[in-house]
C-alpha cells in the first residue's frame, strides 16, 4: 500500500516534470533553431582533426611544374646518395608496399622511386618528384602494414607538394626555378648553378622539414590511401605505438623526422578518428 502511494506520487511528479520540460522544450528548440547551423559547423570543425584537408584538390599550380619537379628530384637524389649509403636490402619489400600506396594516392600517375638507406636511426622521408626513403632500422622494426603506413604518409607529402611549398618560400627559389627550366642534363654550367643555389638553400634535407600542419595532412592522406593499397589502416596506429615506446626508451634511435612530428598520442587519436569515419562510409 505504501509502495502504491509512493509509486503514484512518483508518477504524478514524473507527469508534472514532463509538462514542465515540454513547455521548456519548445522554447529551447526555438533558441537552438536560431543558431543551429553555425553551432554544428563549429563543433564539426572542432571534432574533425582533418577538416581543412578534406576536399582539397592538389596540383602543381603556383609551384614548380611537374617536369621541373622531377628534374629537381633527380638532382636532390644525387645529393642523398653522396650523403648516405643506399642498399638493396629490403628494397623489394619497400618498393612493393610503396608502389601500392602511390597507386592508391591522389597523385597516382607520378613515377615514384623508393630507396633504402643504411642507417641505425628509424627514419623515412621524401623529396620532390616522388623519391621516397626508408632506413634499414625502420624496415626492421615495422611489419608490412606499419611500414606501409609510413610509406603512405611519405607519398602524402609528395601528393600535397609540401617540399615544393617549402622551396617556394626560400630566397633561392627564382634561381633554382630558372636553372631547372634551362637544365637538360646532370652536367654543365646550369647544373652547377643549380647545385650552388640548392646548397645555399640548405640542400635536400631542408626540403624534408615539414610543419606540424603538413605532418597532419600527410597522416590524413596516408591513412586514407591505405585501404586502397590493401593495407589495414590499423597499421598506422601500431606504428605510432611502437614509436611511442621507442621514444621513451631509446629516443636517440628516432630520426629527427619522427621526433619533430606532432605528438604521437595525438596522431593515434586522429588516426582512430579517421578509421572510424572511413568505416562509416
Ligand atoms: Zn612526415
Amino acid at each position: 500500500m505504501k509502495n502504491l502511494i509512493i509509486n503514484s506520487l512518483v508518477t504524478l511528479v514524473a507527469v508534472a516534470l514532463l509538462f514542465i520540460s515540454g513547455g521548456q522544450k519548445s522554447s529551447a528548440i526555438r533558441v537552438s533553431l536560431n543558431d543551429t547551423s553555425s553551432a554544428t559547423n563549429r563543433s564539426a570543425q572542432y571534432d574533425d582533426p582533418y577538416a581543412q584537408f578534406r576536399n582539397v584538390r592538389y596540383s602543381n599550380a603556383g609551384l614548380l611544374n611537374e617536369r621541373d619537379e622531377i628534374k629537381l628530384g633527380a638532382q636532390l637524389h644525387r645529393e642523398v646518395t653522396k650523403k648516405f649509403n643506399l642498399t638493396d636490402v629490403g628494397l623489394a619489400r619497400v618498393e612493393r608496399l610503396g608502389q601500392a600506396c602511390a597507386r592508391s594516392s591522389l597523385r597516382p600517375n607520378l613515377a615514384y622511386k623508393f630507396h633504402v638507406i643504411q642507417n641505425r636511426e628509424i627514419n623515412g622521408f621524401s623529396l620532390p618528384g616522388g623519391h621516397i626513403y626508408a632506413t634499414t632500422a625502420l624496415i626492421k622494426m615495422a611489419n608490412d602494414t606499419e611500414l606501409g603506413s609510413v610509406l603512405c604518409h611519405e607519398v602524402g607529402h609528395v601528393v600535397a607538394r609540401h617540399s615544393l611549398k617549402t622551396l617556394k618560400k626560400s630566397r633561392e627559389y627564382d634561381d633554382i626555378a630558372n636553372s631547372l627550366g634551362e637544365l637538360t642534363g646532370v652536367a654543365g654550367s646550369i647544373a652547377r648553378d643549380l647545385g650552388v643555389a640548392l646548397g645555399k638553400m640548405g640542400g635536400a634535407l631542408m626540403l624534408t622539414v615539414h610543419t606540424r600542419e603538413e605532418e597532419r595532412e600527410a597522416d590524413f592522406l596516408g591513412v586514407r590511401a591505405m585501404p586502397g593499397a590493401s593495407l589495414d589502416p590499423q597499421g598506422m596506429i601500431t606504428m605510432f605505438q611502437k614509436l611511442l615506446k621507442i621514444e621513451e626508451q631509446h629516443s636517440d634511435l628516432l630520426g629527427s623526422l619522427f621526433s619533430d612530428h606532432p605528438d604521437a598520442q595525438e596522431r593515434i587519436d586522429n588516426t582512430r578518428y579517421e578509421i572510424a569515419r572511413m568505416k562509416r562510409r
Side-chain angles (χ1 to χ4, degrees), residues 153-154 157 210 215 218 257 261 267:
H153 168 99
E154 293 304 331
H157 282 304
H210 303 299
E215 292 306 341
L257 293 156
H261 278 58
R267 299 178 85 186

Side-chain angles (χ1 to χ4, degrees), residues 13-122:
V13 170
V15 167
L17 275 174
L18 207 73
F19 274 105
I20 293 165
S21 67
Q24 280 175 343
K25 219 176 185 175
S26 62
S27 65
I29 286 169
R30 229 180 297 120
V31 168
S32 66
L33 268 178
N34 283 336
D35 57 3
T36 182
S37 60
S38 65
T40 49
N41 278 349
R42 223 180 299 126
S43 78
Q45 266 167 12
Y46 181 78
D47 292 334
D48 180 358
Y50 299 130
Q52 73 266 44
F53 307 130
R54 300 189 194 279
N55 311 313
V56 174
R57 296 190 59 181
Y58 297 99
S59 79
N60 286 53
L63 304 164
L64 279 187
N65 65 48
E66 188 166 280
R67 211 190 40 177
D68 289 351
E69 178 188 353
I70 291 166
K71 285 198 251 174
L72 173 66
Q75 198 74 21
L76 294 172
H77 175 65
R78 274 156 49 89
E79 200 188 302
V80 170
T81 59
K82 284 179 196 161
K83 230 172 250 167
F84 300 103
N85 289 323
L86 298 193
T87 172
D88 285 344
V89 177
L91 183 59
R93 181 176 162 231
V94 170
E95 179 76 19
R96 172 173 56 84
L97 296 166
Q99 293 297 354
C101 288
R103 298 290 84 83
S104 155
S105 77
L106 295 178
R107 196 181 183 186
N109 297 320
L110 188 70
Y112 290 79
K113 295 196 176 73
F114 293 86
H115 313 279
V116 178
I117 290 175
Q118 188 86 51
N119 205 287
R120 68 186 281 274
E121 277 188 5
I122 297 162

Side-chain angles (χ1 to χ4, degrees), residues 53-229:
F53 307 130
R54 300 189 194 279
N55 311 313
V56 174
R57 296 190 59 181
Y58 297 99
S59 79
N60 286 53
L63 304 164
L64 279 187
N65 65 48
E66 188 166 280
R67 211 190 40 177
D68 289 351
E69 178 188 353
I70 291 166
K71 285 198 251 174
L72 173 66
Q75 198 74 21
L76 294 172
H77 175 65
R78 274 156 49 89
E79 200 188 302
V80 170
T81 59
K82 284 179 196 161
K83 230 172 250 167
F84 300 103
N85 289 323
L86 298 193
T87 172
D88 285 344
V89 177
L91 183 59
R93 181 176 162 231
V94 170
E95 179 76 19
R96 172 173 56 84
L97 296 166
Q99 293 297 354
C101 288
R103 298 290 84 83
S104 155
S105 77
L106 295 178
R107 196 181 183 186
N109 297 320
L110 188 70
Y112 290 79
K113 295 196 176 73
F114 293 86
H115 313 279
V116 178
I117 290 175
Q118 188 86 51
N119 205 287
R120 68 186 281 274
E121 277 188 5
I122 297 162
N123 218 341
F125 63 92
S126 54
L127 287 175
H131 288 275
I132 293 177
Y133 306 82
T135 62
T136 43
L138 166 66
I139 66 176
K140 216 172 169 184
M141 60 76 81
N143 67 29
D144 275 8
T145 53
E146 291 160 356
L147 178 57
S149 77
V150 176
L151 296 171
C152 284
H153 168 99
E154 293 304 331
V155 167
H157 282 304
V158 177
V159 168
R161 279 82 165 173
H162 287 153
S163 297
L164 294 190
K165 288 170 185 162
T166 306
L167 177 69
K168 182 90 195 221
K169 284 183 235 148
S170 111
R171 231 186 286 167
E172 288 76 26
Y173 176 74
D174 288 339
D175 288 345
I176 291 168
N178 289 337
S179 298
L180 283 169
E182 293 169 32
L183 188 71
T184 51
V186 288
S189 62
I190 296 166
R192 269 199 301 279
D193 290 349
L194 176 62
V196 169
L198 288 173
K200 268 194 209 157
M201 182 195 68
L205 290 184
M206 255 305 288
L207 297 182
T208 66
V209 179
H210 303 299
T211 66
R212 280 178 169 234
E213 275 316 281
E214 289 173 339
E215 292 306 341
R216 204 169 284 127
E217 189 170 24
D219 280 351
F220 168 69
L221 293 170
V223 74
R224 292 200 67 96
M226 289 183 76

